[in-house]
Amino acid sequence: MAFLNALDTVGSALTAERFRTNIITQNIANQLTVGANGEDPYRRKQVIFQTRPQTFSEALDSVSGGGVRVTRVVESQEDFKPVYDPTHPEADEDGYVYYPNVNNTEEQLDLMEATRVYEANISALSVVKAMASKALEIGR
C-alpha cells in the first residue's frame, strides 16, 4: 500500500507544519508581552523537527511510511530587549522594561517558510490523490 505510506508521510508533514505555524503565531502575538511582577517576559519558542524513525523491516513490509514529527519546542535563550521607559508600570528600578526576545521580521519569514512548505505538501497530496484516482480508473 504505497499510496497509504505516501499519505501518511504527507500527513505527518502537514501536521508538523501546522504546529510550527501555531507556535510562530504565538510568538508574534506575544512580542509585546512584558513580564509582570518581576517575572521574565515571554520567551520566543522554536519547533524542532525530526525524521520519524522507520526500521529496515518496516520499509520492506511497507508497514509505515517515513515522515516528520515534532520532537520538542524549545525556548530561545537570547537576551530580552531592554527599553528605557521609567513611566511604564513594569519598569525596573533603573527605568527599563524588558520585552520578549521575539523579532517580528524573523517570525514573518519563518511564517512564510512554513506556509510554503505546507503548500508544497498540499501539492504532493494532490499528486498522490491523482495517482490513486488513475489507478482506480485502470481497474475499470
Side-chain angles (χ1 to χ4, degrees):
M1 287 290 178
F3 289 120
L4 294 179
N5 288 345
L7 290 174
D8 189 39
T9 301
V10 171
S12 71
L14 290 171
T15 301
E17 287 301 328
R18 188 191 69 218
F19 184 80
R20 179 180 174 206
T21 301
N22 288 342
I23 294 297
I24 293 168
T25 55
Q26 181 180 356
N27 289 339
I28 292 170
N30 286 296
Q31 66 185 341
L32 297 176
T33 305
V34 298
N37 301 324
E39 294 179 5
D40 283 344
Y42 176 84
R43 283 197 178 273
R44 178 179 190 246
K45 293 177 177 60
Q46 294 175 294
V47 177
I48 306 297
F49 292 147
Q50 181 183 30
T51 304
R52 280 197 322 202
Q54 182 180 20
T55 64
F56 184 69
S57 62
E58 287 176 337
L60 289 177
D61 294 337
S62 297
V63 173
S64 67
V68 65
R69 67 178 178 173
V70 174
T71 56
R72 64 180 192 254
V73 176
V74 296
E75 290 185 346
S76 174
Q77 296 304 312
E78 292 179 25
D79 293 335
F80 297 120
K81 299 174 189 171
V83 174
Y84 184 72
D85 185 3
T87 61
H88 194 284
E90 297 301 330
D92 64 7
E93 59 275 351
D94 297 326
Y96 285 95
V97 179
Y98 292 91
Y99 285 92
N101 53 3
V102 175
N103 180 339
N104 191 44
T105 304
E106 188 175 354
E107 297 302 325
Q108 293 293 331
L109 289 172
D110 285 349
L111 187 58
M112 284 178 16
E113 179 186 17
T115 303
R116 297 289 184 253
V117 171
Y118 194 89
E119 289 170 353
N121 280 291
I122 291 291
S123 295
L125 181 63
S126 297
V127 169
V128 171
K129 285 174 38 180
M131 289 172 55
S133 177
K134 290 294 181 184
L136 290 174
E137 287 178 13
I138 290 173
R140 288 184 187 170

